[in-house]
Amino acid sequence: QVQVVESGGGLAQPGGSLRLSCVVSGALQEDRAIGWIRQAPGKEREVVSCISIDDGEEYYPRSMKGRFTISRDDSKRMVYLQMNSLNPEDTAVYYCAARRWLICSSWVSGYDYWGPGTQVTVSA
């Protein structure tokens, strides 16, 4: 069984940075891409980044490019999300989620294994 656990959330000031971490454990033979999905208060979940474990291909929605960077450490089975230039609109619960497929997906429904989420609050 695949388990996903996030960490690193917290409070940041506008313009500040946070780094989220995700560890994926369990049966990973069929798991390839890992993504970060967020849900802001009163809004639907949205994919903010994804990385293919096979070739490292990265996906970002246009609105996230340049501010968010996803990376991985295969030896530790860790995936990170570096978030810079944070603004209050980035306040959300951030979920790490793994896919069964090789390539990333821009669809929330494309992710199969989810962590419990970590809260990110951007406020002065």
Side-chain angles (χ1 to χ4, degrees):
Q1 181 158 353
V2 177
Q3 293 184 326
V4 181
V5 180
E6 311 94 340
S7 62
L11 176 65
Q13 292 191 340
S17 299
L18 281 175
R19 189 177 83 154
L20 305 182
S21 301
C22 172
V23 58
V24 183
S25 60
L28 292 175
Q29 293 89 338
E30 296 181 352
D31 297 332
R32 295 293 183 262
I34 294 178
W36 288 95
I37 297 98
R38 73 181 183 185
Q39 185 166 23
K43 295 187 176 180
E44 295 185 352
R45 293 185 180 184
E46 61 175 340
V47 178
V48 300
S49 187
C50 177
I51 188 165
S52 168
I53 299 302
D54 182 62
D55 60 4
E57 178 185 4
E58 298 173 21
Y59 163 79
Y60 304 94
R62 186 170 297 183
S63 60
M64 306 299 171
K65 275 190 175 181
R67 295 197 304 124
F68 290 5
T69 303
I70 194 169
S71 61
R72 71 181 200 260
D73 182 335
D74 293 339
S75 65
K76 299 179 181 178
R77 286 192 163 172
M78 296 287 292
V79 174
Y80 305 98
L81 183 68
Q82 178 67 41
M83 304 186 294
N84 299 325
S85 301
L86 288 165
N87 58 65
E89 289 70 37
D90 295 315
T91 294
V93 177
Y94 284 72
Y95 300 91
C96 180
R99 302 193 77 220
R100 288 195 177 96
W101 307 103
L102 177 65
I103 60 175
C104 289
S105 174
S106 61
W107 297 93
V108 172
S109 59
Y111 293 82
D112 303 289
Y113 308 104
W114 290 71
T118 185
Q119 177 70 45
V120 170
T121 303
V122 183
S123 175

